Amino acid sequence: MEVKDANSALLSNYEVFQLLTDLKEQRKESGKNKHSSGQQNLNTITYETLKYISKTPCRHQSPEIVREFLTAMKSHKLTKAEKLQLLNHRPMTAVEIQLMVEESEERLTEEQIEALLHTVTSILPAGPEAEPKRNPDAATGDDEDAA
Amino acid sequence: MFVLVEMVDTVRIPPWQFERKLNDSIAEELNKKLANKVVYNVGLCICLFDITKLEDAYVFPGDGASHTKVHFRYVVFHPFLDEILIGKIKGCSPEGVHVSLGFFDDILIPPESLQQPAKFDEAEQVWVWEYETEEGAHDLYMDTGEEIRFRVVDESFVDTSPTGPSSAEATSSSEELPKKEAPYTLVGSISEPGLGLLSWWTS
């Protein structure tokens, strides 16, 4: 076995969630394969990974939301890795932004950080657990989720 | 957290599976070989993403099965350096805090990378952050099962392929079975503001 490219593309949690859910549906339809001993590893890893990702905000995302998010992010001049982390974690406080964006004190002013938080919380849907409403924008996010 | 890895491999399909569609048999064989396994210097393989190219299938003399060279892409868990992840505390030991992501367990946060000052409570076997405020020191316990946000600072791959018989004889035969080492471990850190238990930072 040969590895041609160990880093050909970064995947967001949403893409992996989508892939694993589709795989699960496919395998449920085909029925008998699941229980053969060879498939045990695949079953274990898909179950555990799906369980982990379902507890993150990625569960409620869709391709349109991701596209909208990336277009909105263009103006903020962030690296691919930083945008990916914002997409996967949906930070709600300035402290979290400082963790995910390198040298955020030098690159972003306070208003820019606020604007970034606003974009993140308004475009990306809130996570599956109820979150404390600290921000009026987070409240709109939760309403869309309930609707 | 997840990356796409392009790989090439030769897949052997036994004759009793010839009635199935080739793509399905190959997908099943690849998942059987790689899912939930660590590939050295690549990461923990999750599942097949797609098959990019199938070369001609050959049947060799003496073996009734077909051998097909497959170019495919696999979803692999391989967080990049300095990535922020959220996991659950599996337990604490004098070596540090053990964190698990459910599908991946070998994450360690060594004592130097905890929020300082930190001490290990021997009685309860748990690490504690002694948080100083004007009112005095608060003891924040890092209990099992709590969600924790940490930064990935280091990773290490260990080649766990079996060693040949000659080296096994060299090590004394009276020794116990060699200790099982995790093929892929991550080292984390929570020494920055915003990192640590989620409950510490929600207002």
Side-chain angles (χ1 to χ4, degrees), chain B residues 24-42:
Chain B
D24 294 342
S25 302
I26 289 188
E28 192 182 311
E29 284 298 313
L30 288 174
N31 277 328
K32 209 187 281 191
K33 179 172 177 177
L34 291 173
N36 205 17
K37 302 228 170 85
V38 172
V39 176
Y40 187 60
N41 281 342
V42 171

Side-chain angles (χ1 to χ4, degrees), chain B residues 51-179:
Chain B
I51 296 175
T52 40
K53 184 163 136 189
L54 279 178
E55 296 188 18
D56 288 334
Y58 292 95
V59 178
F60 295 113
D63 184 8
S66 76
H67 298 254
T68 324
K69 196 159 175 188
V70 188
H71 298 245
F72 59 96
R73 294 188 289 187
Y74 220 85
V75 178
V76 175
F77 169 71
H78 188 190
F80 51 85
L81 197 63
D82 288 342
E83 184 171 356
I84 305 287
L85 293 178
I86 298 185
K88 270 214 173 110
I89 296 185
K90 209 170 63 173
C92 297
S93 76
E95 294 158 351
V97 180
H98 301 269
V99 182
S100 157
L101 294 178
F103 59 95
F104 184 75
D105 271 354
D106 304 302
I107 304 172
L108 179 70
I109 305 180
E112 334 47 275
S113 310
L114 296 173
Q115 295 271 11
Q116 299 299 333
K119 75 170 197 291
F120 187 58
D121 185 337
E122 292 290 347
E124 301 192 27
Q125 290 287 297
V126 74
W127 280 95
V128 186
W129 179 27
E130 293 161 323
Y131 180 56
E132 295 275 337
T133 59
E134 305 85 49
E135 298 116 38
H138 283 282
D139 272 357
L140 296 170
Y141 284 80
M142 303 183 66
D143 298 314
T144 311
E146 291 287 340
E147 302 226 322
I148 181 169
R149 187 184 292 132
F150 62 97
R151 189 189 285 281
V152 176
V153 294
D154 195 17
E155 64 182 19
S156 70
F157 285 99
V158 177
D159 193 3
T160 52
S161 331
T163 50
S166 48
S167 49
E169 270 174 55
T171 61
S172 80
S173 48
S174 57
E175 229 173 67
E176 296 291 313
L177 281 170
K179 207 167 80 97

Side-chain angles (χ1 to χ4, degrees), chain A:
Chain A
M1 190 180 81
E2 192 197 317
V3 175
K4 291 229 313 261
D5 186 356
N7 227 319
S8 104
L10 288 171
L11 288 174
S12 70
N13 286 8
Y14 170 68
E15 290 175 275
V16 179
F17 175 72
Q18 196 63 12
L19 185 73
L20 291 175
T21 341
D22 289 344
L23 186 68
K24 201 167 88 160
E25 285 305 311
Q26 241 177 38
R27 285 157 60 70
K28 214 182 277 188
E29 281 164 27
S30 71
K32 58 183 169 101
N33 287 341
K34 272 201 293 186
H35 301 288
S36 76
S37 57
Q39 301 294 316
Q40 196 44 46
N41 269 325
L42 182 65
N43 292 345
T44 314
I45 192 75
T46 35
Y47 171 70
E48 293 284 352
T49 313
L50 223 37
K51 197 164 90 164
Y52 176 79
I53 299 186
S54 306
K55 287 195 284 207
T56 66
C58 310
R59 199 166 196 282
H60 299 272
Q61 290 171 0
S62 74
E64 297 80 35
I65 294 182
V66 177
R67 215 172 296 145
E68 207 189 313
F69 177 75
L70 288 174
T71 3
M73 283 287 120
K74 269 201 198 143
S75 55
H76 296 277
K77 296 212 186 56
L78 298 171
T79 68
K80 206 194 268 195
E82 290 165 354
K83 283 187 276 195
L84 183 65
Q85 287 193 85
L86 294 177
L87 181 62
N88 283 345
H89 288 273
R90 192 182 180 265
M92 290 185 287
T93 60
V95 175
E96 291 172 66
I97 300 262
Q98 277 168 0
L99 284 175
M100 296 177 195
V101 177
E102 257 179 85
E103 293 171 14
S104 54
E105 292 102 61
E106 283 116 53
R107 284 161 63 189
L108 302 170
T109 64
E110 260 192 55
E111 301 90 51
Q112 282 177 313
I113 294 188
E114 278 301 314
L116 192 55
L117 274 172
H118 180 92
T119 326
V120 168
T121 44
S122 57
I123 298 185
L124 299 179
E129 320 91 18
E131 284 141 345
K133 291 185 172 64
R134 270 170 276 124
N135 194 334
D137 297 308
T140 1
D142 284 339
D143 285 341
E144 282 167 7
D145 197 48

